Amino acid sequence: MSGYCGRFAPSPSGPLHFGSVVAALGSWLAARAAAGRWLVRMEDIDPPREKPGAAAAILRTLEALGLAWDGPILYQSTRIEAYRAALARLRTDGHTFHCRCSRKNIGESPYPGTCRTLGLTAGPRTAVRVRVPDETIVLEDALQGRYAQALASAVGDFVIWRADDQPAYHLAVVVDDAWQDVTDIVRGSDLLSSTPRQILLQRLLGLPHPNYLHLPLALDHDGAKLSKQTLAAPVDGIPPAATLVAALGFLGQEPPRELARATVSEVLARALAHWTPARVPRASRIVGPID
Ligand code: GLU
């Protein structure tokens, strides 16, 4: 084993669709090619978006695809105390403020700073936001290249603890990536614009910065990202080897067509032996049905 540690971190809001298989396979190949560890973390801290049975269905699909993970699965719902501790640290260091704005009265982003100086205290329907410095955060993505975001004007002070008393994704993800010693994050490029927020939190919490590689997204015919919310077809009904071969093709690896008739372990062994990160395209693309 090398020091590399990757991870796949699905939210159990529905079964795996082709786009999430691409992310799982890409991070698995990158980790295994580096003789590293590959973890699965279930990001189950958003009860309103969770679907009963989705976590188990996701794990069954990963198993059917032969994407074996190392160690036990981390369920974020068991980690609330760690997120509270990180929140407490940020509060003690003066990086946060309480906010009673609702999405209705402030719209999406950037946050206009309404509650920043009001000195509100904790209470029902009160979120906690982090004060975002007026600074451009730059990251060197291993596939997408240099990505810069002026965080204050693009996003503004963002929520780290939700008004429904749940940790926000950005806080939980940085706490766990550090706690699990994740060194390399390979995920879909829909999260590229979230990464500067995560880099800021890593810095404020004194956590290491992992390497990032954001994969192209699989889009539907309307050009929208395949997502569990848009009810992209689950891959469960498709033979796993065919799904893997299609995902390899999407990742630019040019697998031979007849590979779809091989076993899952043969497909993965060949994929690993021929894994060429330089062939992975940057741009997101429309995908049709898997044949
Ligand atoms: N749980 C997030 C999702 O399913 C991904 C988190 C991540 O890879 O950082 O979109």
Side-chain angles (χ1 to χ4, degrees):
M1 285 274 168
S2 66
Y4 184 112
C5 181
R7 55 44 160 204
F8 177 56
S11 305
S13 53
L16 283 193
H17 54 75
F18 183 71
S20 25
V21 171
V22 167
L25 179 62
S27 69
W28 184 90
L29 283 167
R32 296 308 187 210
R37 288 161 51 75
W38 189 68
L39 311 177
V40 172
R41 182 169 73 226
M42 202 51 77
E43 303 211 318
D44 56 347
I45 48 165
D46 193 357
R49 282 181 50 211
E50 223 160 283
K51 296 275 180 319
I58 289 171
L59 297 177
R60 273 199 308 276
T61 304
L62 290 176
E63 275 169 356
L65 293 169
L67 300 176
W69 55 87
D70 295 307
I73 296 190
L74 183 65
Y75 288 82
Q76 287 195 317
S77 54
T78 65
R79 295 267 302 147
I80 304 296
E81 287 319 307
Y83 312 141
R84 279 195 197 282
L87 173 69
R89 169 151 182 202
L90 292 170
R91 282 180 64 182
T92 307
D93 291 349
H95 295 305
T96 66
F97 62 92
H98 287 94
C99 171
R100 302 230 172 97
C101 295
S102 68
R103 201 164 278 172
K104 262 195 251 104
N105 61 32
I106 55 166
E108 284 296 328
S109 58
Y111 176 67
T114 319
C115 295
R116 198 178 221 242
T117 53
L118 297 185
L120 298 174
T121 49
R125 285 189 301 283
T126 304
V128 180
R129 290 180 185 265
V130 69
R131 289 176 201 280
V132 167
D134 194 4
E135 157 188 357
T136 297
I137 302 224
V138 180
L139 77 119
E140 285 302 328
D141 186 90
L143 180 62
Q144 307 295 337
R146 185 173 185 276
Y147 181 81
Q149 190 181 60
L151 205 48
S153 56
V155 179
D157 304 327
F158 58 92
V159 171
I160 53 170
W161 204 274
R162 295 168 18 169
D164 61 358
D165 200 27
Q166 299 286 331
Y169 155 67
H170 296 297
L171 182 66
V173 84
V174 299
V175 167
D176 285 341
D177 283 330
W179 190 63
Q180 296 189 286
D181 293 323
V182 170
T183 60
D184 288 77
I185 295 177
V186 177
R187 60 186 179 186
S189 60
D190 53 324
L191 291 168
L192 183 59
S193 63
S194 295
T195 307
R197 273 169 273 185
Q198 297 172 15
I199 289 175
L200 175 68
L201 290 179
Q202 287 155 1
R203 192 212 297 162
L204 297 179
L205 288 165
L207 303 173
H209 299 303
N211 301 314
Y212 289 94
L213 189 158
H214 285 88
L215 294 169
L217 296 182
L219 306 176
D220 67 18
H221 281 283
D222 301 326
K225 177 200 164 210
L226 295 187
S227 77
K228 293 165 191 143
Q229 281 68 47
T230 58
L231 299 179
V235 292
D236 294 348
I238 302 162
T243 300
L244 287 173
V245 169
L248 284 169
F250 189 82
L251 289 169
Q253 303 300 298
E254 298 170 14
R257 274 185 83 83
E258 59 284 5
L259 196 60
R261 288 195 296 275
T263 65
V264 156
S265 41
E266 284 163 350
V267 176
L268 290 176
R270 189 189 181 283
L272 204 46
H274 291 80
W275 172 238
T276 312
R279 284 208 208 121
V280 179
R282 277 190 191 180
S284 300
R285 294 187 321 286
I286 292 173
V287 287
I290 299 173
D291 50 19

